[in-house]
Amino acid sequence: MAEEYFDLVDENDNVIGIANRMDAHYEGLRHRVVIILVFNKKRELLLQKRSLSKDTSPGRWSLSASGHVDKGESYDGAAKRELREELGIEAEIKRLGKMYQNTTLEHRMRNREFMSVYYCIHEGPFNFKKKEISGLKFFTFDDIVLMAAENPEMVAKTVSNVLKLFYNRGNIRGEARIIEKSNKSEV
């Protein structure tokens, strides 16, 4: 697998350099990611169960699709790419907003990330790589809140951060802040 390179950004999300994935995470360098929330027509949210071989949050339920914005790539381009790569789908995406997350993960990795959050409606079928994702399931918001409260080790930190900030519901712990929020949200 080719080494991934990301744009490094300042506190205002302006590009100031580049770094590889490992340096960005182990040195806590600020970079960009996208998150795509996939809902079905019943307004349930698709979560992916990360494979045990992943370097962050292995075996935990995580958001529908997410990934780093590659060097020179736009947030919108990265969101569309991640939907194709992770779930094997194409869908019309809408932007919810942008947030900043500064969290410490496994193995002393530190995520300092601007996260552009999108959503789409899709019923499947989904075509995912089993070495990346061990399963997919639609959950109600209340079921996610309950799982995060009762078994926080089952849920990636980002799930709690995104849902707390964008939906302000339930007893969800969050360690991030919203930078901007879209005025139009249909979900």
Side-chain angles (χ1 to χ4, degrees), residues 122-160:
H122 203 285
E123 300 286 326
F126 302 102
N127 181 19
F128 60 93
K129 298 176 187 167
K130 299 218 179 341
K131 74 176 196 174
E132 301 271 331
I133 300 171
S134 64
L136 298 170
K137 183 179 176 183
F138 281 103
F139 289 87
T140 66
F141 188 87
D142 290 339
D143 287 342
I144 297 168
V145 170
L146 187 63
M147 181 171 41
E150 292 183 352
N151 299 296
E153 71 284 351
M154 292 179 59
V155 181
K157 283 184 180 182
T158 302
V159 173
S160 298

Side-chain angles (χ1 to χ4, degrees), residues 96-181:
L96 279 173
K98 186 166 44 170
M99 59 187 273
Y100 182 73
Q101 175 175 256
N102 183 358
T103 57
T104 302
L105 301 173
E106 297 85 2
H107 316 295
R108 297 187 331 261
M109 291 181 17
R110 186 167 168 208
N111 269 349
R112 293 178 65 207
E113 301 169 328
F114 279 101
M115 305 165 80
S116 192
V117 182
Y118 298 82
Y119 75 95
C120 68
I121 309 298
H122 203 285
E123 300 286 326
F126 302 102
N127 181 19
F128 60 93
K129 298 176 187 167
K130 299 218 179 341
K131 74 176 196 174
E132 301 271 331
I133 300 171
S134 64
L136 298 170
K137 183 179 176 183
F138 281 103
F139 289 87
T140 66
F141 188 87
D142 290 339
D143 287 342
I144 297 168
V145 170
L146 187 63
M147 181 171 41
E150 292 183 352
N151 299 296
E153 71 284 351
M154 292 179 59
V155 181
K157 283 184 180 182
T158 302
V159 173
S160 298
N161 290 343
V162 168
L163 296 182
K164 179 176 177 115
L165 288 171
F166 283 98
Y167 294 98
N168 294 322
R169 287 182 50 199
N171 184 21
I172 292 184
R173 63 189 177 357
E175 303 170 7
R177 62 183 166 85
I178 289 181
I179 302 300
E180 60 187 63
K181 188 172 180 180

